[in-house]
Structure formats: C-alpha cells, structure tokens
Amino acid sequence: MTRGSKADDVLTLLFMLLAVAAVVCFFAAGNRLAFMICGGLAVLLRSVQYILRFFP
C-alpha cells in the first residue's frame, strides 16, 4: 500500500473516527470499557496500516 492510495485514506479515516469515538466515550459517556475498546481498535488499526505501508 502506498501513501495517499485509496486504501490508505480509508484506513486513516477509520482510525480518526475510532479515535474520536474513544475521546467521546472517555469524557462524555464516562464508559471506561468502551474507551478501552475504541482506543485499542484505533491503535491496532493504525499499527496494521503502518505494517501494510512499510512491508508490502
């Protein structure tokens, strides 16, 4: 996957949405479990994106 490709853009968008959801869960909802799930998924997704980008 190359930087700026369609798949890279979609993964970046999904990461941003999960990160915003994690912040909302932490501050607005006060739900720690939902925060940990959303935050963990965001970090996992970003890690997969970097692995796909640098090790094609």
Side-chain angles (χ1 to χ4, degrees), residues 11-26:
L11 288 175
T12 300
L13 179 65
L14 286 173
F15 166 74
M16 288 183 197
L17 291 174
L18 282 170
V20 168
V23 170
V24 168
C25 288
F26 185 76

Side-chain angles (χ1 to χ4, degrees), residues 26-40:
F26 185 76
F27 288 110
N31 191 348
R32 302 282 188 220
L33 180 62
F35 164 72
M36 295 295 279
I37 291 171
C38 288

Side-chain angles (χ1 to χ4, degrees), residues 5 10-11 16-18 20 29 43 45 47 49 56:
S5 68
V10 169
L11 288 175
M16 288 183 197
L17 291 174
L18 282 170
V20 168
V43 169
L45 182 69
S47 300
Q49 181 182 7

